[in-house]
Amino acid sequence: MTAEQTAGVITIAEIKKLLPHRYPFLLVDRVLAFVPGESITAIKNVTINEPFFQGHFPDAPIMPGMLILEALAQAGGILVSKSLEGPLGSRIFMFTGVEKAKFRRPVVPGDQLVLRCFDIKRRLTLCKMRAQALVADQVVAEAELSAAVVEAGAL
């Protein structure tokens, strides 16, 4: 990625404009870089204050794998919304599938998840992309994600 191809940082204020998610389900803290229609790199800071650690697991806190996948899907949603010709408006990015998911190691309080989505393929309102979550440059989870851009009122 060259500087000309890579867009700047997206802060939490803009992320909240792009995604409908809110606490405790907003799982992207910042976007470090993205290339519209191609890739995104975002982060999720994992702290002991996350509500899911109360039950998963009290004596050995581990971030649930499905929430890692959800964080990746949210990063992918930001990429897609920033890649469309116009604003999402009343449409939302709805997670529709997961394939080839693999979890390589647990994610624990104090970790910073680096969320990467790439190899995006779009056909009409459907999107498919590869995704990886890393901690300290080590892949902790990976999957192929699919989603659709749909009218929120149709749900």
Side-chain angles (χ1 to χ4, degrees):
M1 281 185 259
T2 68
E4 297 80 42
Q5 295 173 309
T6 305
V9 169
I10 299 174
T11 64
I12 193 65
E14 187 174 352
I15 289 168
K16 288 172 71 175
K17 291 176 185 173
L18 297 169
L19 294 177
H21 307 79
R22 295 296 178 265
Y23 176 85
F25 216 68
L26 181 56
L27 300 173
V28 177
D29 293 325
R30 177 179 294 256
V31 172
L32 302 176
F34 70 95
V35 178
E38 289 184 28
S39 65
I40 191 167
T41 302
I43 58 171
K44 163 66 179 149
N45 295 306
V46 181
T47 75
I48 192 61
N49 295 319
E50 307 288 350
F52 49 80
F53 285 138
Q54 292 178 29
H56 198 272
F57 300 98
D59 296 326
I62 298 171
M63 185 174 185
M66 291 308 295
L67 290 181
I68 297 169
L69 292 177
E70 175 63 28
L72 287 164
Q74 288 180 20
I78 295 168
L79 173 61
V80 170
S81 67
K82 295 294 280 184
S83 300
L84 296 174
E85 288 76 37
L88 275 176
S90 62
R91 298 175 295 169
I92 60 172
F93 185 75
M94 183 174 278
F95 199 10
T96 59
V98 178
E99 295 178 39
K100 300 179 184 175
K102 292 193 179 4
F103 300 97
R104 306 290 183 193
R105 83 153 179 85
V107 174
V108 299
D111 284 345
Q112 183 178 68
L113 275 177
V114 175
L115 309 166
R116 295 185 59 239
C117 297
F118 48 94
D119 288 344
I120 187 169
K121 293 170 182 52
R122 287 180 42 204
R123 178 175 284 169
L124 301 173
T125 61
L126 301 175
C127 304
K128 191 168 190 173
M129 64 191 78
R130 291 193 316 134
Q132 292 181 324
L134 299 96
V135 172
D137 293 326
Q138 180 183 15
V139 176
V140 297
E142 59 190 326
E144 291 181 3
L145 307 177
S146 56
V149 178
V150 298
E151 282 293 332
L155 301 176

